[in-house]
Amino acid sequence: MHSAVMILAKRGSLFASLKAVAGDRTTQQVVERLFSHRPIRDGLERILQAREGALIVLGSNLDLQDISVDGLQIASDGFDAARLSEVAKMDGAIILDNSWKSILTANAHLSPPVDLPTTESGSRHRTAQRTAYITGLPVVTVSKDRAVVTLYFNSEQADLTPRWTIRRRILHHLQILVMMRKRFDEAEEHLLRMELLGLVTRRDVAHMLRLGELVVRAASGIEAMVVDSAQDPDTTAAVVADRVFEVERLLQLTLRDYLDGEGDEARGALAGVLGHKLAHTWLVETEIGLSDLDGELVPRGHRLLYRTGVVTKRIRGILLEEFPDAQALLHAPLERLMDVKGVGHKTATKLRHYFDRLLAAVHPIGQRVLTDRRKSYNRLP
C-alpha cells in the first residue's frame, strides 16, 4: 500500500495540472466536450463498428509521464477519425495533447500502481480507472467484447454507450424519414394526377394525408432524440427540416381542399390519430371525416394555387372566390383569368402556362376526358 499512499498524498499537487488541462469541468462537461469533438467522437464510432478495443487518455501531464512506458511517438499537427481508429488497433494506450488536437503517443504502456483500489475487472478498464485517478485526466475506454464506451474522470465514471445507441437510432430514423418523404411525394403526385383527371377517391386523399402525418411524426421523434444525444444538432436539424419542408403546409391545404371550413379541425384530428390506426388508410378516412363525403371529390384549389408559386395569398383568395373548384381553374382560358380583379396579364400567363404543363403531363389515356371537360369549363361566364 506504500505506493498508493504516496500517490494519494500527491493528489493535492495534481489539481494544478488538472485545472490546466480540464479546467473546473465536471464529468458531464467533459462528456459534452467529448461528443462535440468530431474527430474523437467519429473515431470512437469507427472503433465500435470495427469491434476493436481502445484506451485513450485525453491530455498529458507529468503524472501521466511517470506511469507511461515506451510507446510510439507520433509527430502530427492534427488527427482525424480514421487515424484514431487505426492507432487503436495497437494494444497500448493512445495519449492526446491537452487541447485534444493531436496524438502524442500510440501503443503506450501505462503502469499505474496495482494496489490502487478499482471497481473494474478487465485489465484495460482497471488501468484506465487508476490512470484517471492518478493523473486527473479524462480517460476513455472502448470494450472490445461488450462494445461499451466508458469515460473515467477523477474518481467518477460515465457509461457513454447510450449516447452512441441514440446516435445509431438517429441515423436509422433519418434513413426511414428520407424513405417516407419519398413515399409522401409519390402519393402527392398521384393525388395531383387524379385531380387533373377528375378521378379522385377518398382513398387517394387519405393515403397522401396518412403518409404526410407519418413524415411529421418521424421528424418530431428525431428532434427529441437529438436533444437527448447532443450530437450534431445543427446537421441533423438541417436534414430533418429538408425532409419535412412544406409537408405540413401541403397537409393543411389538402384538408381545406376537400373539407373546406372543417380543414383546420380535421388537421387536429389527423394529429390525434393513434399510431396503429395510421397504418390503415380507411381508418384515417373515418377519423378525419373523409368517409362522410358523398359524390365526386373535386378539390377546392388551395393546394393547386400554392404549388404554382406565382400568386400571393391575397390573389389566391380572390381566385378561390372567382372559381368554384380546381377543375375550373385548370381549364380557365387566359382571357378568363385576366378578367379576375387583381390578376394582370403577366400573372395570368404564368398561371395558364403552369396549368398547361400539368395537363400535358397527364397520361394519354386521360387526355380525352380532359378535352371534353375543357370544353365545358371554357363556357364559364
Side-chain angles (χ1 to χ4, degrees):
M1 294 291 293
H2 180 66
S3 59
V5 172
M6 291 180 62
I7 290 170
L8 291 173
K10 291 172 61 181
R11 287 292 285 171
S13 64
L14 294 179
F15 285 111
S17 60
L18 169 61
K19 194 169 185 178
V21 175
D24 296 319
R25 292 188 180 93
T26 64
T27 301
Q28 181 60 32
Q29 289 172 326
V30 174
V31 170
E32 296 304 327
R33 182 187 175 190
L34 178 63
F35 274 93
S36 66
H37 194 294
R38 182 178 292 275
I40 297 177
R41 189 192 65 226
D42 292 350
L44 290 172
E45 180 71 30
R46 285 174 176 243
I47 295 170
L48 280 170
Q49 292 176 352
R51 299 186 180 277
E52 296 285 348
L55 191 159
I56 305 171
V57 184
L58 304 177
S60 180
N61 55 25
L62 294 176
D63 301 298
L64 178 65
Q65 295 174 16
D66 289 342
I67 62 171
S68 178
V69 182
D70 300 327
L72 177 64
Q73 304 300 315
I74 299 180
S76 174
D77 294 334
F79 72 97
D80 55 18
R83 170 164 289 196
L84 183 63
S85 63
E86 282 297 317
V87 298
K89 295 178 181 179
M90 304 179 188
D91 292 333
I94 301 170
I95 301 174
L96 305 185
D97 71 336
N98 291 337
S99 62
W100 301 5
K101 293 183 178 179
S102 62
I103 300 175
L104 299 178
T105 309
N107 199 29
H109 177 67
L110 302 180
S111 56
V114 296
D115 51 0
L116 275 177
T118 177
T119 59
E120 298 290 355
S121 56
S123 59
R124 177 181 286 122
H125 293 79
R126 287 201 305 268
T127 300
Q129 189 175 39
R130 287 166 173 161
T131 299
Y133 188 78
I134 291 170
T135 64
L137 298 169
V139 182
V140 176
T141 62
V142 180
S143 172
K144 182 176 182 179
D145 297 328
R146 296 183 294 128
V148 173
V149 183
T150 307
L151 169 69
Y152 299 94
F153 185 50
N154 292 331
S155 59
E156 299 181 15
Q157 67 185 73
D159 183 6
L160 307 184
T161 311
R163 289 287 187 93
W164 262 275
T165 302
I166 293 175
R167 186 165 186 262
R168 286 194 292 270
R169 286 174 56 200
I170 291 174
L171 294 175
H172 176 67
H173 281 73
L174 280 174
Q175 293 173 345
I176 294 176
L177 179 61
V178 170
M179 178 188 68
M180 291 175 61
R181 176 58 195 267
K182 181 180 178 181
R183 292 183 60 193
F184 169 78
D185 289 341
E186 292 172 350
E188 203 265 336
E189 287 294 330
H190 173 77
L191 177 61
L192 178 62
R193 287 196 299 272
M194 295 300 101
E195 289 173 343
L196 295 175
L197 292 168
L199 302 174
V200 182
T201 65
R202 289 191 294 270
R203 182 179 180 83
D204 295 328
V205 180
H207 181 61
M208 177 268 200
L209 295 171
R210 179 179 71 86
L211 292 176
E213 177 62 20
L214 286 172
V215 169
V216 172
R217 294 191 188 187
S220 299
I222 293 173
E223 290 171 351
M225 285 188 282
V226 169
V227 172
D228 292 336
S229 68
Q231 299 179 58
D232 281 344
D234 295 336
T235 303
T236 304
V239 174
V240 172
D242 178 65
R243 292 298 93 189
V244 299
F245 180 67
E246 286 194 335
V247 171
E248 178 61 40
R249 184 62 175 162
L250 290 173
L251 291 179
Q252 295 173 355
L253 294 174
T254 303
L255 287 166
R256 292 175 189 171
D257 269 342
Y258 292 96
L259 297 173
D260 202 17
E262 299 177 1
D264 293 339
E265 183 180 347
R267 181 65 190 98
L270 179 62
V273 175
L274 298 178
H276 69 277
K277 291 186 177 180
L278 277 178
H280 304 284
T281 303
W282 67 273
L283 286 176
V284 174
E285 290 180 33
T286 303
E287 292 288 331
I288 65 177
L290 281 175
S291 58
D292 298 332
L293 299 180
D294 297 323
E296 181 183 9
L297 293 184
V298 180
R300 186 67 181 82
H302 292 276
R303 196 172 92 263
L304 175 67
L305 287 174
Y306 177 75
R307 283 176 60 109
T308 66
V310 299
V311 292
T312 64
K313 184 177 180 180
R314 183 181 68 85
I315 298 299
R316 288 202 300 268
I318 295 173
L319 287 168
L320 289 170
E321 290 180 0
E322 191 74 21
F323 294 91
D325 53 46
Q327 285 290 342
L329 271 167
L330 280 167
H331 300 294
L334 179 62
E335 295 77 10
R336 179 70 179 88
L337 291 171
M338 291 177 59
D339 287 342
V340 178
K341 184 179 180 180
V343 178
H345 181 269
K346 183 178 180 180
T347 300
T349 301
K350 288 182 178 180
L351 286 173
R352 188 63 263 160
H353 285 172
Y354 178 76
F355 296 154
D356 287 340
R357 286 196 301 271
L358 287 180
L359 295 169
V362 177
H363 194 279
I365 295 178
Q367 290 294 341
R368 288 193 301 273
V369 177
L370 290 175
T371 301
D372 295 339
R373 187 176 290 114
R374 184 181 297 112
K375 293 176 180 178
S376 64
Y377 279 114
N378 285 348
R379 292 195 295 270
L380 286 172

